[in-house]
Amino acid sequence: MIKNIYNLGDAALYCDFGDTVNKETNLKVINYFNDIREKNITGIKNIAPSYNKLIIYFDLELTNYKKIKDTVENLDISTFKSIKTKKVKMPVCFDDEFALDLERVEKKVGLGKKEIVNQLISQKYFCYMTGFIAGMPFLGDIKEKIRLDRLETPRVKVPKGSVGITEQFCNIYTFESPGGWNIIGNSPKKVFTKDPTKLTLIDPGDEVEFFEISKKEYSKFNEQK
């Protein structure tokens, strides 16, 4: 299942699952991530999954590259458990105030605002990973008609809750942050909280669905928090 394993610096292991970015490959990454985490292997400090890669950080005082590599290569994949996932519905307001790049997107993909919004909300998305900033979900795969490149010049500040699209993915900014994704709306629903028992609303493997709300509904949502 893992194509190659490399040394990454002095105290990390790089597991490469191939160049393909799709749900099937990502589920393999998530399975390895979950299995290694559950086994509580001596010396492993942190595990970072991505679309098709897995980085394992270890403590050189407790273990070494060869021991971790051998452990990973000898994992019994037949014991992998089904991934526990959930379905999450996210409200999004596409008002001009929040749709910072919608005009750019219209020009790039050749569609009007209504069609772009319909393209986004008419399907369900798979959460490949979270990262870049705490709890930010990377969701795929958006429809071909609204795929486009990042901004030529990234923003210094992207508002919290912004919904952005780039290439085959969309995401939700959990905090105000620099970023180069095309922002087409904003969600009032918190994706990352300070509750230590449940920090993230969306986890890798979850299914996410967007639905449109008005600016008035957006304001009411915030008032109810």
Side-chain angles (χ1 to χ4, degrees):
M1 296 177 75
I2 298 177
K3 301 288 185 182
N4 291 291
I5 298 178
Y6 305 100
N7 210 27
L8 186 63
D10 294 330
L13 195 93
Y14 180 89
C15 302
D16 182 8
F17 290 76
D19 296 328
T20 305
V21 178
N22 57 34
K23 183 176 179 179
E24 181 181 357
T25 299
N26 188 247
L27 284 172
K28 295 175 184 177
V29 176
I30 295 172
N31 264 317
Y32 269 90
F33 169 76
N34 288 339
D35 199 61
I36 293 169
R37 183 173 56 178
E38 288 175 7
K39 282 183 166 55
N40 197 26
I41 299 167
T42 300
I44 291 181
K45 297 194 301 182
N46 190 32
I47 317 167
S50 69
Y51 305 130
N52 49 19
K53 307 289 186 290
L54 186 69
I55 298 176
I56 304 170
Y57 299 90
F58 54 86
D59 188 337
L60 281 171
E61 293 185 359
L62 300 175
T63 188
N64 57 52
Y65 169 77
K66 187 177 186 308
K67 286 182 180 179
I68 299 298
K69 183 174 184 288
D70 289 345
T71 299
V72 172
E73 287 180 330
N74 289 299
L75 287 175
D76 183 4
I77 61 173
S78 65
T79 64
F80 284 170
K81 301 174 183 177
S82 298
I83 297 172
K84 294 181 180 179
T85 63
K86 59 185 181 296
K87 296 181 179 180
V88 182
K89 291 191 175 184
M90 295 296 299
V92 182
C93 179
F94 299 96
D95 188 83
D96 291 345
E97 177 185 342
F98 305 122
L100 308 180
D101 298 305
L102 197 52
E103 186 175 337
R104 174 184 185 272
V105 175
E106 289 181 68
K107 291 178 180 177
K108 289 284 185 178
V109 303
L111 298 174
K113 175 180 178 178
K114 185 176 180 180
E115 180 59 25
I116 291 170
V117 171
N118 286 338
Q119 288 284 317
L120 184 75
I121 67 175
S122 62
Q123 71 178 75
K124 297 173 183 177
Y125 298 89
F126 175 80
C127 181
Y128 280 85
M129 58 176 278
T130 60
F132 177 60
I133 55 177
M136 175 186 278
F138 286 72
L139 311 170
D141 298 288
I142 66 175
K143 293 185 177 180
E144 294 276 357
K145 287 184 177 181
I146 56 172
R147 294 186 184 185
L148 74 167
D149 296 332
R150 294 170 181 263
L151 300 177
E152 287 80 5
T153 303
R155 283 190 175 82
V156 176
K157 292 182 180 180
V158 177
K160 178 181 177 181
S162 291
V163 175
I165 59 175
T166 286
E167 298 170 350
Q168 72 190 74
F169 300 103
C170 56
N171 69 6
I172 306 165
Y173 282 75
T174 50
F175 293 93
E176 182 182 273
S177 165
W181 290 52
N182 300 273
I183 306 304
I184 62 173
N186 192 290
S187 177
K189 195 169 183 177
K190 285 186 178 179
V191 178
F192 186 85
T193 73
K194 294 181 180 179
D195 181 353
T197 63
K198 184 56 184 172
L199 293 173
T200 56
L201 175 66
I202 302 170
D203 298 304
D206 285 349
E207 183 181 272
V208 178
E209 189 173 3
F210 296 109
F211 64 94
E212 184 177 5
I213 59 173
S214 66
K215 189 174 180 180
K216 186 176 181 180
E217 290 171 316
Y218 181 97
S219 298
K220 284 184 177 179
F221 196 102
N222 280 322
E223 290 170 2
Q224 294 169 1
K225 289 182 179 179

